[in-house]
Amino acid sequence: MGMVADEICSLLEVHANRDKVVSLVSYTLKLWGATAKSPPLLTASARIAGARATLRLFDDPAALRALFRYGLGKQEGLLWGSLGVANGLLNLSYLQGEKLVWLLDTGVLKLPPELAERVRIAHKLFWSLSAIVGLIRSLRALHLTSLMMKSDNRPKCAGVRFTQASLTSTKLLLDVVHAVSWLPRGWLWGGALTTTQAATAATASAVIGLVVHYHGKKLVR
């Protein structure tokens, strides 16, 4: 029992890991509320999502650190390096959009309705583009690990890396489905999913996110 408590504490003490748990709780409640047609559950989900969005106001330093550490992506070549830089910039842009939406939701920032709607659309667009670029990069990683599996000099960790890349690509595919569904109708499949369908994709992504976290520990042992 003590080991379980230690593991839970270890998971929740790190902001990025706690965010995974909060995300799972929020989307599970949303899925439950949508299928049961329960307004209280949907309200609970919205409040947890709001708390998560508030905590993301402080994610800029981590995003900037990741961008600076990646640099110009010369180690991956022009195409993939450019995509890597673009991914970092899109993440930062999404976080700035998140701040503007938070200010709008709290009433601190007041804009004309048309401009406010454009801000919200831009926020969702940066989220969608970031997820799409992340998926493309993860598919490349999946391809490289599949080649590693076929190599005559296959390292012992090849199987673990392939599984990790497969899980990550699946999660990011679900993130793309979910993120794009929030765009205005007519933008790809924007507005085409029901609340239940979108919540199902988001919940599955959150579950896989935790699986990726624990499976990834095998790579550092």
Side-chain angles (χ1 to χ4, degrees):
M1 191 65 180
M3 292 180 62
V4 174
D6 288 343
E7 182 59 38
I8 293 174
C9 289
S10 176
L11 181 67
L12 296 179
E13 282 173 354
V14 180
H15 168 65
N17 295 338
R18 187 191 302 122
D19 182 72
K20 294 180 177 67
V21 175
V22 174
S23 172
L24 176 58
V25 172
S26 173
Y27 289 129
T28 300
L29 286 173
K30 188 171 186 178
L31 177 58
W32 186 10
T35 53
K37 297 181 179 179
S38 171
L41 288 174
L42 292 174
T43 299
S45 170
R47 291 198 176 187
I48 293 176
R52 185 175 174 231
T54 300
L55 289 175
R56 276 200 299 269
L57 296 176
F58 309 98
D59 281 358
D60 282 0
L64 285 169
R65 181 179 64 180
L67 184 61
F68 290 148
R69 284 182 175 177
Y70 186 78
L72 296 177
K74 293 180 180 179
Q75 68 276 14
E76 292 193 282
L78 180 61
L79 174 60
W80 295 106
S82 298
L83 276 177
V85 173
N87 195 33
L89 292 174
L90 286 169
N91 283 335
L92 276 174
S93 299
Y94 164 70
L95 289 174
Q96 308 323 304
E98 186 93 331
K99 290 178 179 60
L100 291 175
V101 171
W102 185 85
L103 291 171
L104 286 169
D105 289 342
T106 56
V108 174
L109 177 65
K110 296 186 182 298
L111 295 174
E114 185 177 344
L115 181 56
E117 183 62 21
R118 289 182 180 179
V119 168
R120 295 182 188 279
I121 292 174
H123 169 240
K124 298 299 188 293
L125 180 60
F126 284 131
W127 178 22
S128 299
L129 290 174
S130 176
I132 290 170
V133 173
L135 174 61
I136 293 171
R137 297 183 71 222
S138 74
L139 290 175
R140 178 187 181 236
L142 178 60
H143 173 66
L144 292 176
T145 54
S146 69
L147 294 179
M148 187 187 299
M149 291 284 288
K150 299 175 183 177
S151 173
D152 294 333
N153 299 318
R154 185 176 74 178
K156 291 182 179 180
C157 65
V160 177
R161 289 185 179 277
F162 179 77
T163 301
Q164 186 75 350
S166 300
L167 288 168
T168 300
S169 295
T170 303
K171 179 191 182 307
L172 287 170
L173 176 60
L174 290 167
D175 286 343
V176 169
V177 171
H178 180 225
V180 173
S181 72
W182 282 87
L183 291 174
R185 188 169 291 276
W187 296 34
L188 297 178
W189 56 90
L193 300 186
T194 64
T195 300
T196 300
Q197 291 170 334
T200 298
T203 303
S205 171
V207 171
I208 296 175
L210 283 175
V211 174
V212 167
H213 167 71
Y214 283 107
H215 186 267
K217 289 186 175 183
K218 296 180 181 180
L219 295 172
V220 296
R221 290 175 181 172

